[in-house]
């Protein structure tokens, strides 16, 4: 047994017994048990004597949503700072990278909103209303967005869950810290290492806490599905089926956009791109983590597709931190879907707010399973949608998360191909 295999085996042995079961299988088991319990409790015609028990089934989901909401802003702040401090981005390539990332993410969100507006999956069925809904429709003021981007206090965005203000603070501090690090390296100083270590430790700590919360997701799925089936039967999931179809269609269109961009802006053949990237796509789908897939993506970009190392590193390493097109698309579609479900159609101005918030929120989405659930609360809040409905999306998120992670990785690889230009690397570069 190799050293790596021995380490992995030892780590597995230290896990609690329930974590030996993959999260996806846990959620599937939770769904099956929830369906059985929901049917036994009436499947739409519950016994009044079970009313309190059925209501309490949703408590785990409510608690987990609170925890996700609490983790959202610190995750984005620390993730952005960690990326600025640890990733080396050349200035010219950095500007090109920023334009490509912004373009790809914007297109992903527009594709998602376009599909959601055309198919209107939220009108195909009905979902239970978890709480009384009061939505205040506000007129769109672009200048107010710029004014509100600057917080009155440094810590206020953490308390208010204001993602735009948080990104402004994170990028500002990230640029300053990165500049100080460069200056100290030029002067032979190492004071920056203590700050870098603190940020890295905080990032690891937040990820660990997030993993604890995600480990409880099957319990939340069990409770919310059992409650819905007991109270409403299977009617509510008709609309969720339509949502799944709409998201898969939008992700397919985004993949087609990637291949078109590669055909036009890179020397890489789209067929070669798909065949060479198969391992990365399958790994992303099976692990539901772009971070886990990152080493594989970096390797195949060079060996199977033939990109330069610099292009591969910018796409696979930097892209995995900032490029989450699939997640941004999913969050935008989720907001529009829920607005259709509750009969509150978002205006063009509100959809623009969703676009901007989804772009910023996707930057803070860590490359780990189900991280999109964390930042989705911020997208919903930006247009006044009730975050309680996110608990219903959790029931299908285990599958859609894998699909959008594969698109995230495909986006990373597309960025690398575009950065590599229209000329393949020479023999001397190989």
């Amino acid at each position: 047994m190799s050293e790596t295999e021995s380490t992995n085996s030892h780590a597995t042995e230290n896990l609690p017994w329930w974590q030996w079961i993959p999260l996806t299988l846990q959620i599937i088991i939770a769904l099956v048990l929830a369906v059985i319990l929901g049917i036994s409790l009436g499947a739409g015609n519950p016994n009044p004597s079970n009313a309190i028990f059925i209501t309490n089934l949703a408590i785990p989901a409510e608690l987990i949503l609170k925890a996700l909401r609490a983790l959202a802003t610190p995750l984005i702040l620390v993730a952005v700072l960690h990326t600025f401090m640890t990733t080396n981005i050349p200035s010219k390539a950095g500007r090109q990278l920023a334009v490509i990332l912004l373009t790809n993410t914007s297109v992903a969100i527009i594709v998602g909103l376009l599909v959601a507006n055309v198919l209107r999956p939220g009108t195909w069925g009905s979902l239970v209303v978890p709480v009384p809904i009061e939505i205040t429709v506000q007129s769109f003021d672009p200048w107010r967005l710029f004014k509100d981007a600057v917080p009155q206090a440094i810590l206020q965005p953490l308390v208010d869950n204001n993602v735009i203000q948080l990104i402004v603070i994170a990028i500002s501090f990230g640029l300053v810290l990165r500049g100080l690090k460069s200056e100290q390296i030029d002067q032979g100083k190492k004071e920056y290492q203590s700050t870098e270590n603190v940020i890295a430790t905080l990032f690891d700590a937040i990820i660990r806490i997030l993993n604890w919360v995600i480990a409880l997701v099957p319990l939340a799925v069990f409770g919310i599905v059992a409650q819905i089936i007991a109270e409403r039967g299977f009617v509510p999931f008709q609309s969720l089926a339509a949502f799944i179809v709409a998201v898969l269609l939008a992700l397919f269109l985004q993949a087609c956009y990637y291949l078109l961009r590669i055909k036009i802006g890179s020397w890489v053949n789209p067929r070669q791109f798909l065949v060479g990237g198969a391992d990365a796509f399958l790994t992303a789908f099976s692990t539901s983590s772009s971070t886990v897939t990152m080493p594989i993506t970096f390797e195949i970009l060079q060996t199977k597709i033939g990109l330069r190392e610099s292009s591969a590193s910018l796409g696979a390493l930097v892209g995995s931190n900032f490029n989450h097109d699939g997640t941004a698309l999913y969050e935008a579609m989720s907001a529009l879907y829920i607005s259709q479900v509750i009969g509150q159609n978002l205006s063009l101005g509100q959809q623009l707010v969703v676009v901007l918030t989804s772009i910023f929120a996707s930057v803070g989405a860590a490359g780990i399973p189900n991280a999109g659930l964390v930042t989705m609360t911020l997208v919903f809040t930006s247009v006044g949608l009730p975050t309680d409905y996110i608990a219903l999306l959790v029931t299908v998120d285990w599958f859609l998360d894998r699909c959008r992670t594969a698109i995230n990785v495909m986006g990373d690889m597309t960025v690398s191909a575009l950065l590599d230009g229209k000329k393949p690397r020479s023999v001397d570069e190989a």
Side-chain angles (χ1 to χ4, degrees):
M1 181 181 291
S2 66
E3 181 179 352
T4 302
E5 291 174 338
S6 177
T7 301
N8 292 337
S9 176
H10 181 69
T12 303
E13 291 175 358
N14 290 335
L15 290 175
W17 65 267
W18 67 85
Q19 290 189 17
W20 293 1
I21 305 174
L23 181 62
T24 300
L25 183 56
Q26 291 183 42
I27 294 178
I28 293 175
I29 293 173
L31 283 170
V32 173
L33 295 177
V35 170
I36 295 174
L37 179 60
I39 293 175
S40 65
L41 290 174
N45 296 295
N47 190 319
S49 62
N50 295 325
I52 296 178
F53 174 72
I54 293 174
T55 302
N56 290 339
L57 284 173
I59 290 178
E62 294 173 0
L63 295 177
I64 290 172
L65 280 176
K66 285 184 179 180
L68 290 174
R69 212 174 287 128
L71 288 171
T73 44
L75 173 63
I76 291 178
L77 175 62
V78 178
V80 173
L81 291 178
H82 183 262
T83 300
F84 270 101
M85 289 294 289
T86 59
T87 305
N88 183 25
I89 308 176
S91 57
K92 182 178 180 180
R95 290 192 294 270
Q96 185 181 3
L97 174 66
V99 172
I100 295 174
L101 293 179
L102 182 60
T103 302
N104 286 355
T105 303
S106 299
V107 169
I109 297 171
I110 292 173
V111 167
L113 292 178
L114 180 63
V115 171
N117 277 297
V118 172
L119 295 184
R120 297 187 61 80
T123 62
W124 291 20
S126 59
L127 291 177
V128 63
V129 180
V131 292
I133 300 172
E134 293 183 4
I135 299 179
T136 303
V137 180
Q138 298 179 350
S139 59
F140 177 66
D141 182 3
W143 296 112
R144 181 174 58 83
L145 288 179
F146 287 102
K147 291 188 292 183
D148 291 346
V150 180
Q152 296 180 354
I154 294 295
L155 298 180
Q156 184 178 353
L158 289 171
V159 178
D160 297 342
N161 282 351
N162 189 314
V163 64
I164 296 180
Q165 293 181 354
L166 191 70
I167 291 294
V168 170
I169 291 176
I171 291 178
S172 300
F173 274 91
L175 290 172
V176 171
L177 290 174
R178 187 179 181 87
L180 291 174
K181 175 181 177 179
S182 299
E183 293 176 4
Q184 291 180 8
I185 290 176
D186 293 339
Q187 298 171 4
K189 299 179 180 179
K190 297 183 178 180
E191 287 84 350
Y192 69 90
Q193 291 180 347
S194 58
T195 302
E196 188 172 309
N197 291 337
V198 169
I199 293 174
T201 301
L202 288 174
F203 182 72
D204 291 340
I206 293 175
I207 295 301
R208 181 166 299 187
I209 296 173
L210 183 60
N211 286 332
W212 292 348
V213 177
I214 290 175
L216 298 175
V217 165
L219 183 61
V221 170
F222 171 79
I224 195 68
V225 172
Q227 182 198 44
I228 293 173
I229 293 178
E231 292 180 345
R232 298 285 300 276
F234 294 93
V235 174
F237 293 99
Q238 294 177 0
S239 188
L240 283 177
F243 177 63
I244 294 174
V245 171
V247 172
L248 292 179
L249 175 60
L251 292 176
F252 172 76
L253 293 177
Q254 182 67 13
C256 292
Y257 163 76
Y258 288 148
L259 297 177
L260 180 61
R261 286 214 68 184
I262 290 172
K263 179 70 174 179
I264 297 175
S266 171
W267 64 267
V268 179
N269 183 281
R271 178 182 175 85
Q272 176 190 0
F273 179 85
L274 289 175
V275 174
D279 289 345
F281 303 145
L282 290 175
T283 303
F285 184 83
S286 60
T287 63
S288 190
S289 172
S290 57
T291 298
V292 172
T293 313
M294 184 173 60
I296 298 175
T297 306
F298 182 64
E299 179 67 19
I300 67 172
L301 283 172
Q302 299 176 80
T303 58
K304 294 189 176 183
I305 298 180
L307 302 185
R308 298 170 179 84
E309 181 180 353
S310 58
S311 302
S313 63
L314 281 176
L317 306 182
V318 178
S320 63
N321 288 280
F322 284 104
N323 190 40
H324 300 97
D325 300 339
T327 301
L329 178 151
Y330 175 73
E331 292 177 346
M333 289 193 72
S334 298
L336 199 56
Y337 165 70
I338 293 301
S339 73
Q340 294 168 359
V341 167
I342 64 178
Q344 178 62 55
N345 295 321
L346 298 182
S347 65
L348 181 62
Q350 288 175 309
Q351 291 190 38
L352 180 57
V353 173
V354 170
V355 170
L356 295 175
T357 309
S358 298
I359 291 174
F360 291 131
S362 67
V363 172
I368 59 176
N370 305 99
L373 289 175
V374 183
T375 53
M376 191 186 297
T377 60
L378 305 176
V379 178
F380 275 47
T381 304
S382 68
V383 287
L385 292 174
T387 58
D388 303 74
Y389 277 95
I390 296 177
L392 301 176
L393 300 180
V394 168
T395 60
V396 296
D397 187 76
W398 64 273
F399 171 69
L400 295 178
D401 182 41
R402 294 173 179 275
C403 297
R404 66 178 182 260
T405 300
I407 291 297
N408 287 343
V409 171
M410 189 176 185
D412 298 341
M413 295 172 59
T414 300
V415 171
S416 292
L418 294 175
L419 289 174
D420 214 54
K422 295 187 176 183
K423 293 183 179 179
R425 64 183 182 184
S426 63
V427 177
D428 294 336
E429 292 177 302

